[in-house]
Amino acid sequence: MNWEPISSPNHEIRDVNKTVRDTEVHLSWFWSKEIDFVYIYKASADNIKPINEIDEQELKLYTREEYKVNQGYIGKLDTIGRTAYRIFPCQKRDGKLTVFKQENENNLIYITGSRAKIYFSIAYKNKLFHSRKKVKMAIMTELPLEKELLVYVKKSGGVPISLEDGTVYPFVRDFPAGKTVTPEIEMDKNEFLRIFFSNGKNAAQNYELIPE
């Protein structure tokens, strides 16, 4: 990549605006008359690279003509959580593109995508005159999940309302996309379960846990 310091404030990308509809994002920005091309860098907000570490393969070339036709830039939000878009001005010189190293944040915007949904159900099997019952848990997820993301909590006398409201148990296997039914477990007739995020606030930014 041929990075150069930005030669004039008039070359800067600024006033970046967004419109999000479902998984489609529409970006618009101030585009200087002296700039005919931009490079668009997209990354997870937690993994933005310093400018010097960005590879050309991670950049999308976008022309002024494309911008006019689309009235901006149209992209897809194909990851969960926050996504960062950074737009770099560039010029063509002697047949080569020179990218301006715009280091302020006027060319940077963050977009929060939809949260991935995780559905769960808990089925109890009671037998008359028995003090024990069997339980099956089913988890339906749009994306593969690491087992550490979820835990189940067991409580005597009622359904747990939080991680602290009972005894916490880990899951032993990761969850593939789709439906997973856990093996039956046996517990006291007066005990109840509920599934929670192991790290509630952080996980809730990216996932939505929904009882069925």
Side-chain angles (χ1 to χ4, degrees):
M1 289 291 296
N2 185 22
W3 292 98
E4 284 192 9
I6 198 156
S7 55
S8 166
N10 294 328
H11 292 166
E12 285 190 358
I13 299 297
R14 63 177 188 270
D15 302 330
V16 184
N17 292 299
K18 64 184 178 184
T19 302
V20 180
R21 185 175 298 162
D22 296 326
T23 60
E24 186 176 88
V25 57
H26 182 272
L27 300 180
S28 61
W29 58 85
F30 170 78
W31 194 321
S32 167
K33 292 180 180 179
E34 299 173 44
I35 300 296
D36 292 319
F37 305 89
V38 297
Y39 268 124
I40 299 174
Y41 171 63
K42 175 186 173 185
S44 163
D46 297 325
N47 295 298
I48 300 175
K49 289 185 177 182
I51 292 176
N52 290 338
E53 296 179 13
I54 297 174
D55 296 325
E56 188 169 358
Q57 292 78 10
E58 297 173 286
L59 295 169
K60 178 180 175 62
L61 182 66
Y62 204 64
T63 66
R64 183 186 290 275
E65 287 71 25
E66 289 176 295
Y67 185 93
K68 288 178 180 177
V69 169
N70 295 313
Q71 297 183 325
Y73 170 78
I74 298 172
K76 288 285 186 183
L77 288 176
D78 50 8
T79 58
I80 60 173
R82 295 175 77 218
T83 299
Y85 283 88
R86 194 162 199 173
I87 303 157
F88 294 102
C90 54
Q91 289 180 335
K92 198 168 189 178
R93 298 177 183 169
D94 301 323
K96 294 182 180 180
L97 285 174
T98 296
V99 191
F100 290 124
K101 194 175 181 180
Q102 184 174 340
E103 297 186 276
N104 58 33
E105 295 194 350
N106 294 338
N107 61 339
L108 176 66
I109 193 166
Y110 294 95
I111 299 171
T112 301
S114 59
R115 295 182 295 169
K117 292 179 172 58
I118 305 170
Y119 298 93
F120 72 89
S121 63
I122 300 172
Y124 299 98
K125 288 184 180 178
N126 293 287
K127 287 188 177 181
L128 289 174
F129 312 117
H130 282 255
S131 61
R132 308 283 288 174
K133 63 185 176 185
K134 292 184 177 180
V135 186
K136 264 189 182 179
M137 292 176 281
I139 294 170
M140 173 73 78
T141 172
E142 298 174 330
L143 300 172
L145 307 173
E146 294 182 354
K147 62 182 182 294
E148 292 81 8
L149 182 72
L150 301 175
V151 294
Y152 63 94
V153 177
K154 183 168 69 174
K155 178 184 176 181
S156 180
V159 178
I161 60 172
S162 69
L163 279 175
E164 295 75 26
D165 191 29
T167 305
V168 178
Y169 295 89
F171 288 97
V172 296
R173 292 183 179 86
D174 292 340
F175 301 97
K179 186 175 184 178
T180 299
V181 178
T182 65
E184 281 187 337
I185 59 175
E186 193 175 83
M187 52 195 278
D188 188 85
K189 196 171 184 178
N190 294 318
E191 292 178 323
F192 298 88
L193 301 181
R194 188 174 175 98
I195 297 172
F196 295 94
F197 290 123
S198 59
N199 189 352
K201 288 184 178 180
N202 288 345
Q205 293 178 11
N206 298 329
Y207 301 94
E208 187 176 2
L209 189 58
I210 304 168
E212 290 187 311

